Amino acid sequence: HPSPPSVRRAVVAHMLEERSFFSAMFDGDADFEGYLRRMRELKCWGDELTLRAAADCFSCAVHVVTSTETNWYLLYSPAEKPKKHLFLVYVSPVHYDALTLAEETQI
């Protein structure tokens, strides 16, 4: 399994490779570059854009169960068939955590 810093580097690199898609969410290149600079920092929390990038970068489906009444389930699917599934819990408004299974399960 890749280490957290290498996952972060890979996700940011993917966002740079797909600049036209990800930068559309920002007001200009300076805002996008500032965002990427923050995302490179080890203690900076990821967000929905980084989950989108991670899904594509690692060919995994990211399932997010949230604490909100609307949009309580989000799915970030890669462009190709996912090789793995990652399950997260999002406690609104700021905290993501991983869901783990008690025993190995094939999905």
Side-chain angles (χ1 to χ4, degrees):
H1 298 287
S3 69
S6 64
V7 168
R8 182 178 294 272
R9 280 192 299 273
V11 166
V12 171
H14 179 75
M15 293 176 93
L16 274 169
E17 288 172 16
E18 301 295 330
R19 175 185 286 275
S20 62
F21 175 79
F22 289 102
S23 67
M25 315 298 174
F26 297 88
D27 289 330
D29 283 340
D31 283 351
F32 183 59
E33 292 298 329
Y35 171 81
L36 292 178
R37 209 172 14 263
R38 288 188 304 281
M39 288 300 120
R40 285 184 186 103
E41 296 175 14
L42 290 180
K43 296 195 177 193
C44 181
W45 288 1
D47 58 15
E48 289 184 63
L49 286 179
T50 56
L51 291 177
R52 166 80 269 143
D56 288 334
C57 184
F58 294 103
S59 298
C60 67
V62 180
H63 304 263
V64 182
V65 178
T66 76
S67 64
T68 60
E69 286 186 36
T70 58
N71 298 323
W72 63 270
Y73 173 72
L74 304 169
L75 174 61
Y76 301 91
S77 295
E80 58 190 51
K81 183 179 180 194
K83 295 177 183 173
K84 293 187 175 193
H85 293 263
L86 172 66
F87 294 86
L88 300 175
V89 174
Y90 175 67
V91 179
S92 185
V94 294
H95 184 68
Y96 286 97
D97 204 353
L99 275 176
T100 57
L101 300 174
E103 55 188 68
E104 256 330 283
T105 304
Q106 184 70 29
I107 294 180

